[in-house]
Amino acid sequence: MLSKVDICNMALAQLGQEPISSLQQEDERARRCSLFYEPVKKEVLRTHNWAFAACEAALALLDERRGGEWPYAYAYPADCLFLRKVYAPAQPQRARAFKEMYQKDLHARTILCAVPQAYAEYTRDVTDATLFDPAFVKAFSLALGADLAVALSGDASLAHRLLQKYTLALDEARRSNMTERFDVCAPQSAFVEVR
């Protein structure tokens, strides 16, 4: 089973670095991997509508306003990295206009729209590396290697080469994800309500 350490070791191998056994070990490679892993993972997840990270959920209503262009305010899903679509449950194929903003009066990041009982389709933050698609893992490890390159090797040209490899791997991963992707309509009870 693939782990965070495995992905970090793939990135380190691209740099010609020795592998690590844990993100908690006391050395610079582990500290840098631990520092860069989550931000780089989230960045790569946001680049595409990955099948393994796709989520549909009912939005939690925070406020029902009277009138105006955006009468409903919903809580932004906690695990959402990229909001792709807001829709009414009766018409899931029809995307509705929405606006993301921080509401000071609600002390929350919100989704404003004109849809009662709205649902959202979004890319979620996948924390279990065993769920990652193999092509995504390759692209992610190259992106991680590119970000680690200067810090661990001091070689900016190596970082540039890894960034080029990442771009190619990302394009291939996106193509394979779109080819393999299939949409299954889950019953209403299968949707997870985000609170």
Side-chain angles (χ1 to χ4, degrees), residues 36-185:
F36 283 97
Y37 184 92
E38 284 297 320
V40 174
K41 179 197 71 171
K42 289 176 181 179
E43 179 183 337
V44 179
L45 279 169
R46 285 179 49 87
T47 64
H48 181 69
N49 192 11
W50 305 102
F52 70 88
C55 185
E56 293 186 45
L59 294 173
L61 184 64
L62 292 175
D63 188 22
E64 188 173 338
R65 300 162 193 270
R66 300 288 179 220
E69 185 179 1
W70 313 108
Y72 301 98
Y74 294 96
Y76 200 87
D79 63 346
C80 179
L81 291 178
F82 192 94
L83 185 60
R84 301 200 178 274
K85 179 171 92 171
V86 171
Y87 61 92
Q91 298 175 310
Q93 299 83 9
R94 183 175 169 223
R96 303 294 183 88
F98 67 90
K99 180 178 180 179
E100 297 178 45
M101 67 183 309
Y102 180 81
Q103 292 290 120
K104 283 177 118 175
D105 57 331
L106 299 173
H107 304 288
R109 186 175 179 188
T110 60
I111 300 166
L112 304 179
C113 66
V115 181
Q117 301 174 350
Y119 278 71
E121 182 180 306
Y122 60 90
T123 297
R124 68 186 179 92
D125 183 9
V126 179
T127 56
D128 182 356
T130 64
L131 299 177
F132 295 162
D133 177 272
F136 172 85
V137 170
K138 180 178 180 181
F140 173 30
S141 67
L142 287 165
L144 184 58
D147 276 16
L148 291 170
V150 174
L152 292 178
S153 72
D155 187 348
S157 65
L158 176 59
H160 181 70
R161 289 192 307 275
L162 288 176
L163 195 55
Q164 289 176 323
K165 286 175 75 172
Y166 159 69
T167 301
L168 294 173
L170 182 62
D171 287 345
E172 181 55 38
R174 287 173 173 160
R175 272 193 298 280
S176 68
N177 183 77
M178 288 187 297
T179 303
E180 295 173 351
R181 187 181 185 99
F182 61 93
D183 293 319
V184 176
C185 185

Side-chain angles (χ1 to χ4, degrees), residues 26-37:
E26 289 295 319
D27 83 8
E28 191 62 17
R29 292 167 298 133
R31 279 191 289 276
R32 294 293 179 161
C33 285
S34 185
L35 178 67
F36 283 97
Y37 184 92

